[in-house]
Amino acid sequence: MGLEDKWHKNETIYSMDVETFYDSDGDGVGDFQGLIDRLGYLSRLGVSCIWLLPFYETPNLDNGYDIADYYQVDSRLGTLGDFVEFTHEARARGIRVIIDMVVNHTSDQHPWFQAARRDPDSPYRDYYVWTDEPAQAPDKDTFFPGEEEDVWNYDEVAEAYYYHRFYRFQPDLNLRNPDVREEIRKILGFWLELGVSGFRVDAATLMIDQKGDLPPLEEPHSVLKEMKSFVRSREGDAVLLAEADDAPDELEAYFGEDGNEMDLLLNFVLNAHLTHALAREEASPLVAGLERLPDVSGTGQWANFLRNYDELNVGRLSGGARAEVFETFGPEERMRIYGRGLRRRLAPMLEGDPDRIELAYSLLFALPGTPIIVSGDEIGMGEDLSLPGRNAVRTPLHWSDDPNAGFSNGDPDDLVRGIIDEGPFSYEHVNVAAQRAEQNSLLDRMSRLIGTRKECPSLGWGAHTVLATDSDSVFANRYDWEENTVVTVHNLAADTATVPLDLGDPDDPLHRLVGAGEHTRRDDGRVAVELGGYEYCWLRVGAEHATRHW
Ligand code: GLC
């Protein structure tokens, strides 16, 4: 490890979409000025890094993941000037900004694609992937079964088929073409100049996959390595967070060698196993998930999450485990999507119980990696299953019980998406203002957890060990780093559990950092931790020592 600033190992990332955060001008759409106005909220919550979903110029047919101009802000959200104000104001509060970078494909409205389809001799033709006659049975499936049928679409103007792994309005870019790679570098360089600290690399797995009839890339990972070396050459501490939903034995490769590829990888494997553990109220699926992951200590870092703005994908679990998750968390067909996922928020999955939600987040924060919160989860927002597809989990943030949940003072008919106004997750019951006023609200508890995670750099840096317990429902682990030891214990079930743990030297003092329960030294030197239903605690073992961050 070099003398690098590895800030990303010890941050809590808050992922959010500008259009559903806060509307400052009453047009019904969240905007950058609104985000600037509410940065104080994020600062108080304690998050130190924001991951922004796409905010670029777009026809907006896939929540902005269909980009028509990489150098412009969607005019509904503001201007480039507003964007720079935002990165400046965020930095002033010690909050870094990572932005989504979608370069596996463009929108079909992008001028590159429009030029490509009109003229076979255009230099842009080869930016995309074409064929005159697609194979009868392509060996790749569409990513959105039920919404798309094929990975090829016929274009009348081009008189040829183009390749798209996602929707038909998202033609895949040809990353074998060096000109496309040069374009990507320019785009990255542009946004780094505007103050971002890194990128969330969308669809990294598909970027380097074989596309259509093109020969495979000679060294697929070189595409990602090039991005990394370029980004680092421009901004020494900028990071790349990849969306790589790949098989577990393929994951290690994304980190490259000596940190020359991705810094963080969204941990889809652990997400599915953690969900299974919460569904069963047992630790073993989580332990199994950790065992499936390659050891990346020293090279990279996992980015762990409970939910995001997409479906909760359990496709990597075994059939039996998947069925259990569906039965517990998605009992109704309308809660499921693509045959592999749930279109639900965390809070309703856990029946809106603040203790269970807090437990789930504490557990997430206690796993090896950098935790990510999806906006709205900090107050326990629900989903709107009447909305199509993944939009169910993309409704505006509830700020208060004012009209439009305080999100906008515009006409309710103009809102980017409707407010949840029925049932136990209605904005009248679940909103920021009410939880600010209430001691020990979910918002309060989340803020405490974020603060505790920040206080314990051993979790981002230290050696991780799962501790054996004699209770099915209790997960316990420890981190050791530069003389600091932190132990966390989580009871996933409703019944009280007591676990004896061997924590080494019986003379070491124990301090509770956060959580509840009792801990007592036994005569045999072991520590008995007693936790009520859904309780957890984090303990510091021994004294706290100053630590170096490299
Ligand atoms: C990623 C995004 C998803 C989007 C897809 C296509 O998976 O998270 O929302 O639909 O990429 O860009």
Side-chain angles (χ1 to χ4, degrees):
M1 215 183 317
L3 282 178
E4 277 180 60
D5 179 1
K6 303 234 179 190
W7 59 269
H8 61 280
K9 290 207 161 202
N10 210 31
E11 307 292 318
T12 296
I13 300 177
Y14 185 85
S15 68
M16 56 167 293
D17 196 350
V18 180
E19 71 173 12
T20 51
F21 192 67
Y22 182 63
D23 170 22
S24 71
D25 58 7
D27 67 354
V29 183
D31 43 49
F32 275 104
Q33 189 53 53
L35 173 51
I36 295 168
D37 291 348
R38 296 292 161 104
L39 272 172
Y41 167 72
L42 296 181
S43 176
R44 178 182 191 253
L45 181 60
V47 296
S48 39
C49 182
I50 292 172
W51 149 24
L52 276 193
L53 264 70
F55 52 81
Y56 311 90
E57 195 173 301
T58 174
N60 209 21
L61 299 175
D62 180 20
N63 207 29
Y65 284 89
D66 46 330
I67 297 177
D69 187 343
Y70 290 97
Y71 297 106
Q72 283 302 334
V73 169
D74 179 346
S75 57
R76 297 172 317 139
L77 312 182
T79 63
L80 279 174
D82 295 328
F83 181 85
V84 172
E85 279 296 301
F86 159 62
T87 52
H88 172 81
E89 289 295 326
R91 185 173 310 167
R93 288 172 172 77
I95 299 176
R96 294 182 185 255
V97 178
I98 289 181
I99 60 175
D100 233 299
M101 184 48 56
V102 190
V103 286
N104 173 66
H105 48 266
T106 66
S107 158
D108 61 358
Q109 300 307 307
H110 195 290
W112 297 339
F113 187 73
Q114 290 300 322
R117 67 197 285 248
R118 288 206 183 93
D119 178 4
D121 298 323
S122 154
Y124 294 110
R125 186 77 161 199
D126 204 26
Y127 273 36
Y128 296 91
V129 185
W130 301 93
T131 189
D132 291 332
E133 213 174 316
Q136 281 298 313
D139 58 350
K140 303 279 160 77
D141 290 330
T142 174
F143 214 72
F144 298 130
E147 296 184 8
E148 280 292 344
E149 270 165 28
D150 203 350
V151 292
W152 291 105
N153 193 44
Y154 186 70
D155 185 81
E156 303 276 351
V157 176
E159 296 184 338
Y161 295 81
Y162 62 86
Y163 186 75
H164 60 93
R165 272 311 282 286
F166 294 105
Y167 294 110
R168 70 188 61 192
F169 51 78
Q170 291 166 319
D172 267 52
L173 283 166
N174 170 11
L175 291 159
R176 287 179 58 86
N177 183 342
D179 293 340
V180 170
R181 286 153 78 155
E182 183 56 34
E183 297 275 12
I184 293 175
R185 283 194 286 274
K186 239 188 264 174
I187 296 164
L188 296 171
F190 177 80
W191 291 102
L192 285 169
E193 290 298 317
L194 300 192
V196 306
S197 292
F199 301 91
R200 181 255 189 194
V201 183
D202 184 63
T205 307
L206 303 184
M207 281 175 73
I208 64 175
D209 201 7
Q210 197 246 332
K211 294 189 178 212
D213 298 342
L214 293 174
L217 287 152
E218 271 140 43
E219 282 184 58
H221 282 272
S222 65
V223 172
L224 303 175
K225 287 184 172 134
E226 265 177 37
M227 286 173 78
K228 175 65 177 282
S229 71
F230 176 79
V231 161
R232 275 287 158 97
S233 71
R234 289 286 171 92
E235 206 62 64
D237 63 355
V239 297
L240 296 180
L241 157 66
E243 182 194 34
D245 191 359
D246 214 334
D249 55 353
E250 300 289 336
L251 294 177
E252 195 174 356
Y254 287 87
F255 292 111
E257 303 87 37
D258 296 327
N260 68 351
E261 206 171 317
M262 299 294 110
D263 301 280
L264 292 148
L265 235 55
L266 288 168
N267 201 342
F268 289 95
V269 173
L270 203 59
N271 174 243
H273 285 268
L274 175 55
T275 305
H276 187 210
L278 293 171
R280 283 187 78 140
E281 307 203 343
E282 280 180 15
S284 57
L286 180 55
V287 177
L290 288 165
E291 280 166 1
R292 282 183 80 187
L293 294 171
D295 175 12
V296 299
S297 51
T299 44
Q301 172 92 328
W302 300 110
N304 296 322
F305 58 95
L306 280 157
R307 285 298 288 118
N308 56 25
Y309 283 106
D310 290 326
E311 76 280 12
L312 196 171
N313 185 349
V314 288
R316 291 203 185 276
L317 295 179
S318 71
R322 212 178 311 158
E324 276 180 4
V325 171
F326 279 143
E327 205 179 303
T328 310
F329 290 148
E332 297 172 41
E333 191 51 44
R334 64 193 185 124
M335 297 170 171
R336 306 178 187 179
I337 189 168
Y338 306 139
R340 61 170 183 251
L342 294 166
R343 48 188 212 109
R344 302 198 72 192
R345 284 263 197 180
L346 181 74
M349 281 167 39
L350 299 177
E351 292 162 348
D353 179 345
D355 292 341
R356 290 177 72 188
I357 302 167
E358 180 185 359
L359 172 88
Y361 264 100
S362 172
L363 190 52
L364 179 80
F365 280 46
L367 293 173
T370 296
I372 302 182
I373 301 175
V374 65
S375 176
D377 267 18
E378 73 275 21
I379 54 167
M381 277 184 52
E383 69 267 345
D384 179 352
L385 293 171
S386 72
L387 294 175
R390 293 167 290 163
N391 281 354
V393 299
R394 296 171 176 168
T395 62
L397 188 62
H398 298 175
W399 288 98
S400 67
D401 61 3
D402 292 335
N404 297 333
F407 159 72
S408 166
N409 59 19
D411 184 331
D413 291 339
D414 292 341
L415 296 195
V416 58
R417 247 163 252 126
I419 301 291
I420 296 177
D421 58 4
E422 285 173 6
F425 298 94
S426 141
Y427 72 99
E428 285 151 333
H429 305 299
V430 175
N431 65 64
V432 171
Q435 296 195 23
R436 291 178 78 101
E438 183 197 325
Q439 291 262 352
N440 216 27
S441 61
L442 182 61
L443 181 63
D444 216 26
R445 302 181 198 195
M446 290 292 277
S447 180
R448 188 154 54 233
L449 278 172
I450 294 168
T452 311
R453 175 67 182 75
K454 206 182 287 185
E455 206 185 344
C456 300
S458 343
L459 271 66
W461 288 85
H464 176 245
T465 321
V466 174
L467 300 177
T469 78
D470 53 12
S471 161
D472 290 344
S473 68
V474 177
F475 176 81
N477 61 353
R478 74 182 274 160
Y479 291 87
D480 294 282
W481 186 54
E482 299 203 337
E483 300 177 79
N484 285 294
T485 298
V486 174
V487 169
T488 85
V489 194
H490 292 81
N491 179 8
L492 278 68
D495 295 332
T496 298
T498 304
V499 290
L501 298 173
D502 189 349
L503 301 182
D505 189 344
D507 294 328
D508 273 343
L510 295 173
H511 300 287
R512 183 161 61 205
L513 293 166
V514 69
E518 301 289 335
H519 56 269
T520 33
R521 281 269 180 212
R522 288 189 172 169
D523 291 345
D524 64 1
R526 295 203 294 171
V527 177
V529 179
E530 183 186 338
L531 295 172
Y534 306 121
E535 280 184 352
Y536 67 90
C537 70
W538 296 26
L539 301 172
R540 184 181 291 290
V541 183
E544 183 177 5
H545 296 271
T547 43
R548 287 173 300 137
H549 286 69
W550 62 78

